[in-house]
Amino acid sequence: MTKSDRQISERTKSEAKTTAILSGAMKEFLQNGYAGTSMDKVAKSARVSKATVYSHFGDKENLFNAVMQDLVKDKFQQVMSLEKPQSLEQDPQVVLSGMMTKMLANIQNNRSFQDFMRIIIGESGRFPELAKAYVNNVAKPTIEILTKYLKSHPALELADPEATVRVMMGTMVYFVMLQEMLHGKDIVPLEGDRVIKTLTDLITEG
């Protein structure tokens, strides 16, 4: 085996261990919460040594951040695509409606994401760094990219694009929390497409 082949093999093994650790950590965090999860438990769940977990992620806080990033990276790909130039050439009503529809579907159909959000909210009093990690890794980049899009699109003339983004995100987050996480869909049912259409109309026609 050549040196290059050995390097590729080692990198592949390392990536496989990283995947196993993230999967094991997700299982433990969802089952035991942040405080109840230890690096020992993660190592056992991932079937690797505790030293391997520490060598890959350093400590529990970094591991939690990595799990969160891994969980949301595909969920917000549609938002990130707003940075592409062609999005500015398309009808903003179509772009925004499509983006919100995909995001809502992803979140509603992903119980792990909802349970993970419960951990962040429930543990944020004792572990404020968890909430800050969510804001830094998810909320902040989404706000920045959407604000840039609303500012840049030639068909939109908004007085305060950033505040508009906050209103849009706040509405979407509250809708998911009330309908899904608090089981409000059985008490105050409302179709997601109605919320999306209302938001899109307010932004593009208001």
Side-chain angles (χ1 to χ4, degrees):
M1 181 181 290
T2 66
K3 181 179 179 182
S4 177
D5 289 337
R6 285 196 298 272
Q7 290 175 335
I8 292 173
S9 177
E10 289 172 2
R11 185 162 59 247
T12 301
K13 289 179 181 178
S14 179
E15 290 172 355
K17 287 181 179 179
T18 297
T19 300
I21 293 168
L22 289 174
S23 178
M26 168 66 80
K27 176 183 175 182
E28 294 301 324
F29 283 131
L30 293 180
Q31 182 174 318
N32 304 305
Y34 183 79
T37 295
S38 67
M39 299 295 257
D40 274 322
K41 289 180 179 178
V42 171
K44 289 179 182 178
S45 184
R47 296 183 179 180
V48 299
S49 69
K50 185 167 69 172
T52 298
V53 177
Y54 276 107
S55 69
H56 276 68
F57 296 100
D59 57 32
K60 186 167 73 169
E61 183 179 342
N62 285 334
L63 178 57
F64 187 89
N65 289 343
V67 171
M68 177 166 53
Q69 290 172 18
D70 186 64
L71 185 63
V72 304
K73 65 182 179 182
D74 294 328
K75 301 288 177 291
F76 297 94
Q77 188 175 12
Q78 183 70 17
V79 176
M80 300 308 171
S81 71
L82 293 177
E83 291 184 309
K84 298 177 181 178
Q86 60 265 34
S87 65
L88 297 178
E89 300 172 2
Q90 299 171 347
D91 183 345
Q93 192 165 52
V94 174
V95 172
L96 292 171
S97 177
M99 177 205 71
M100 286 188 279
T101 298
K102 180 170 284 189
M103 287 180 62
L104 186 58
N106 282 337
I107 294 172
Q108 286 181 313
N109 296 328
N110 192 321
R111 287 297 303 275
S112 292
F113 181 83
Q114 295 175 32
D115 291 342
F116 208 69
M117 286 302 301
R118 287 188 177 95
I119 294 175
I120 293 172
I121 295 170
E123 305 265 30
S124 62
R126 288 186 298 169
F127 304 101
E129 63 272 14
L130 302 185
K132 291 179 180 179
Y134 170 82
V135 173
N136 279 317
N137 289 303
V138 182
K140 186 173 183 286
T142 304
I143 289 170
E144 290 175 345
I145 290 171
L146 280 170
T147 299
K148 182 180 178 181
Y149 172 77
L150 295 185
K151 283 182 177 179
S152 303
H153 202 290
L156 298 174
E157 297 181 3
L158 300 169
D160 193 335
E162 183 179 357
T164 301
V165 169
R166 300 292 187 100
V167 170
M168 182 178 73
M169 288 183 60
T171 302
M172 295 289 287
V173 169
Y174 179 72
F175 176 78
V176 171
M177 289 182 63
L178 183 64
Q179 300 299 111
E180 303 295 334
M181 299 170 68
L182 299 177
H183 311 288
K185 62 184 177 183
D186 299 324
I187 305 169
V188 283
L190 178 65
E191 298 83 2
D193 56 357
R194 289 174 59 190
V195 176
I196 291 169
K197 185 179 186 306
T198 299
L199 284 171
T200 304
D201 289 346
L202 286 172
I203 295 171
T204 59
E205 298 175 8

